[in-house]
Amino acid sequence: MADQFYSYPRFWVYTITLFLGYTVAGWFLAAFEVPWLVWLITGAVILHLAKVGEEAIVLANAWLVSIMFIGTILKTWPTVWLPDLPFQNAPLWAMILMGLWAFSMVLIIALAWGRTILYPVGLNSDRLSFILLGIPLVAMIVGSVIFRLGWMS
């Protein structure tokens, strides 16, 4: 049964959705031009989420809120979208930031619930860890590359 886990629709729906979501997250991190330290800590948080699961949601949210707080204080905004938005239309800017936070929380929860979602598929613990760590990290790199190549900007 475990050898044929690829045939389960649950596996494909979850992994494709996770990949697309974290690709968008990588695109946003590249668009906001975050420093390499943010990428590194985000990778560590993803590793922790993939290994621990639901118990790591609070830590991941704390990291997310920290990033959002610093970005808000510095009024960072991608230059590809109306670069003066934080200064010209603060309410719209704040709503977009809240939407980005909500989107990121969905990604955090989706990754944290990965073991619960994929366990019935029949994966062993090592494969499950590899999938739950590899998909988000590769997807974020793909999202960053898409931004840097100028696609979808």
Side-chain angles (χ1 to χ4, degrees), residues 96-109:
I96 292 171
L97 289 179
M98 287 181 0
L100 289 173
W101 173 83
F103 172 74
S104 300
M105 279 306 299
V106 168
L107 291 179
I108 287 169
I109 292 169

Side-chain angles (χ1 to χ4, degrees), residues 82-151:
L82 305 170
D84 294 329
L85 182 67
F87 304 101
Q88 292 178 347
N89 193 344
L92 176 61
W93 175 65
M95 287 190 323
I96 292 171
L97 289 179
M98 287 181 0
L100 289 173
W101 173 83
F103 172 74
S104 300
M105 279 306 299
V106 168
L107 291 179
I108 287 169
I109 292 169
L111 182 57
W113 287 348
R115 289 190 179 281
T116 304
I117 293 169
L118 293 181
Y119 181 75
V121 171
L123 293 166
N124 66 30
S125 183
D126 291 338
R127 266 190 186 167
L128 195 55
S129 294
F130 179 74
I131 288 169
L132 293 176
L133 177 61
I135 288 175
L137 293 180
V138 169
M140 288 179 65
I141 292 168
V142 168
S144 176
V145 168
I146 287 171
F147 177 80
R148 294 187 197 298
L149 291 177
W151 302 342

Side-chain angles (χ1 to χ4, degrees), residues 39-88:
W39 283 94
L40 186 66
I41 296 172
T42 301
V45 169
I46 288 172
L47 171 65
H48 189 62
L49 269 171
K51 285 288 193 185
V52 175
E54 296 155 357
E55 291 83 16
I57 290 175
V58 172
L59 174 68
N61 186 39
W63 173 241
L64 175 61
V65 168
S66 299
I67 292 172
M68 299 295 287
F69 178 75
I70 293 168
T72 303
I73 295 297
L74 299 176
K75 293 197 181 219
T76 58
W77 192 249
T79 56
V80 295
W81 305 330
L82 305 170
D84 294 329
L85 182 67
F87 304 101
Q88 292 178 347

